[in-house]
Amino acid sequence: MRMPGRWWRNKSTPEKVETYTRWSFHFFAVMEFFSVGLTSVPPLGARLGGATMLVVAVHAVLCFVTVSRAIDWTRGRRPQPTGLMWTLGAVTAVIAAAALGLAAER
């Protein structure tokens, strides 16, 4: 029977840092969806809130993938995800502009 925590104790210090960093950044993407996506439905209504939740979910997944690829790049496992980072920046800017426009309209 495996002892709980053995997988963590068997990791080297750099592996522990990588695991902790990766999980922390992935948790941020999950929290983005739950704190912004799900909480936007009641005040905005089902239609606009659902659309907002979908947009936030897409952004969170894009953040999740970008972080994973960037960490793999820092570890020398992948090429630098430059195109993915530009895509994330552009998507974030479009979402921010739409949110500001929506807020100004309301």
Side-chain angles (χ1 to χ4, degrees):
M1 185 169 156
R2 285 180 38 177
M3 292 181 54
R6 179 178 286 175
W7 68 274
W8 182 258
R9 285 192 298 271
N10 290 338
K11 288 182 176 280
S12 66
T13 300
E15 289 173 330
K16 287 179 181 178
V17 170
E18 178 189 358
T19 301
Y20 179 81
T21 303
R22 189 178 299 270
W23 286 13
S24 296
F25 281 120
H26 288 165
F27 183 69
F28 293 150
V30 171
M31 286 309 301
E32 175 186 5
F33 176 73
F34 283 108
S35 64
V36 178
L38 288 181
T39 60
S40 65
V41 176
L44 296 176
R47 187 172 179 189
L48 185 57
T52 302
M53 186 171 66
L54 179 63
V55 168
V56 170
V58 168
H59 187 262
V61 167
L62 189 57
C63 288
F64 196 93
V65 171
T66 303
V67 163
S68 183
R69 299 264 170 95
I71 291 173
D72 287 344
W73 168 66
T74 62
R75 301 285 294 145
R77 297 180 190 143
R78 288 183 182 265
Q80 187 175 13
T82 308
L84 194 55
M85 289 190 286
W86 278 105
T87 302
L88 176 61
V91 168
T92 302
V94 167
I95 292 171
L100 288 173
L102 183 64
E105 191 177 297
R106 290 187 146 243

